[in-house]
Structure formats: structure tokens, C-alpha cells
Amino acid sequence: MQVRIIAVGKIKERFLSEGIAEYEKRLLPYLKLSIMEIAEERRGVHASGGQEQLVKDREGERVLAAIPDRAYVVALDVRGKEVSSEALATRMHDWQLAGTNSIAVIIGGDLGLSDAVLARAALWLSLSPMTFTHQMARLILLEQLYRACRINSGEPYHK
């Protein structure tokens, strides 16, 4: 299975970069992973609601252009469905059984995702009812993908 994570913004904190690199390495035996960073749109500190919408729309255009053809699109969104690690593993297994070999997981910037990106997604997923930075969401997502792969391989994982 190929998983492309399309994320708005760069990872700036070293500790997050190191954690992301560790989970990228751990995922190598299980799936083909790629991470594409989309440039954040610049805006003023006190941007109006209209300016923020324009920022999301511009970032969204770049995100949509990065989605592979025929990919099953999962958008991380606070309004998305919350699932357990086991349920995520089951979904990934079901996608494989259905012949879905390309998954694109979208992580928006600090303003979230544009309506166009959300409309393109087949699934909206929430990592937690708590709020995380979009940089932390990338690390958490990778850990959960790794956990799901271990579950599906019948390997032990920490509960």
C-alpha cells in the first residue's frame, strides 16, 4: 500500500523531526510512505476572516494538485470521525482488500483545510477531541499508521 501524507507547512522543531524520521523508518517494512510538504500561505498576524479564507483556499489548491490520481483521500479535521487504533487498522485492511493501493492523508495548516479539500476527501478523520499543532499531528498520524500496520501483521504493539 502507498500512503502519501500531504501536509501544509514545514516541521520546525527538531524533536518532532526526529520522531517523524523514526516512524518513517519503522514504517518501511509495511508500506510505501511519502510525505509532501505544501508551502504555508503568508498572512498578517491580524488577518480578517476573509483573508484567512483566502489563505485556506490558496493552500487548498496546492494540496489538491498534490493528491495522486485515484487516491483514496483522508482529511484530518477536528470535525472528523474519531476511531480507535484497532478501527484504523481494520479500515486499512479493508482498503487493501478492496484493492485501494493509494491513500492520501491531508494535514492542513493552522487554519485547517479548505472546503474544496474537504469535499475531495472520502473520509474525515479526527485524531482526538484535543487540539494539536499541525506539526504534532504529523507525528501522531505516523505513530498510528505504524500501530495499525503492526496490528494488521499480527505483531505485538503497546496498548
Side-chain angles (χ1 to χ4, degrees):
M1 175 180 281
Q2 295 181 2
V3 175
R4 173 178 277 185
I5 297 173
I6 302 169
V8 175
K10 294 188 178 292
I11 301 297
K12 297 172 183 129
E13 293 84 1
R14 184 172 158 215
F15 73 95
L16 289 174
S17 295
E18 290 172 353
I20 288 166
E22 176 64 26
Y23 279 103
E24 285 180 287
K25 184 174 66 175
R26 290 183 187 193
L27 281 163
L28 282 174
Y30 301 102
L31 50 83
K32 184 176 178 186
L33 176 71
S34 64
I35 299 176
M36 175 175 269
E37 292 181 336
I38 303 298
E40 289 179 292
E41 191 72 19
R42 295 182 186 260
R43 69 175 189 276
V45 176
H46 301 291
S48 68
Q51 290 168 325
E52 288 185 348
Q53 186 61 48
L54 185 60
V55 165
K56 285 196 323 186
D57 290 344
R58 286 182 179 161
E59 290 173 348
E61 290 170 6
R62 292 193 291 272
V63 166
L64 290 170
I67 297 172
D69 292 338
R70 295 182 294 221
Y72 184 90
V73 179
V74 178
L76 295 189
D77 188 86
V78 67
R79 298 163 294 175
K81 181 172 181 56
E82 293 177 27
V83 297
S84 67
S85 299
E86 291 83 0
L88 178 61
T90 299
R91 280 182 186 260
M92 289 178 68
H93 181 259
D94 291 347
W95 292 333
Q96 286 181 310
L97 287 178
T100 304
N101 62 3
S102 178
I103 309 293
V105 184
I106 315 300
I107 303 172
D110 62 343
L111 296 175
L113 295 169
S114 71
D115 292 340
V117 172
L118 292 171
R120 173 67 175 83
L123 172 65
W124 294 9
L125 191 63
S126 173
L127 295 177
S128 169
M130 293 186 282
T131 302
F132 302 114
T133 66
H134 54 289
Q135 293 95 350
M136 290 178 89
R138 193 181 315 183
L139 177 60
I140 294 166
L141 171 64
L142 287 171
E143 189 280 334
Q144 286 300 301
L145 290 173
Y146 173 69
R147 187 177 297 264
C149 289
R150 301 250 328 166
I151 291 168
N152 286 340
S153 295
E155 297 172 25
Y157 68 99
H158 182 51
K159 292 185 181 185

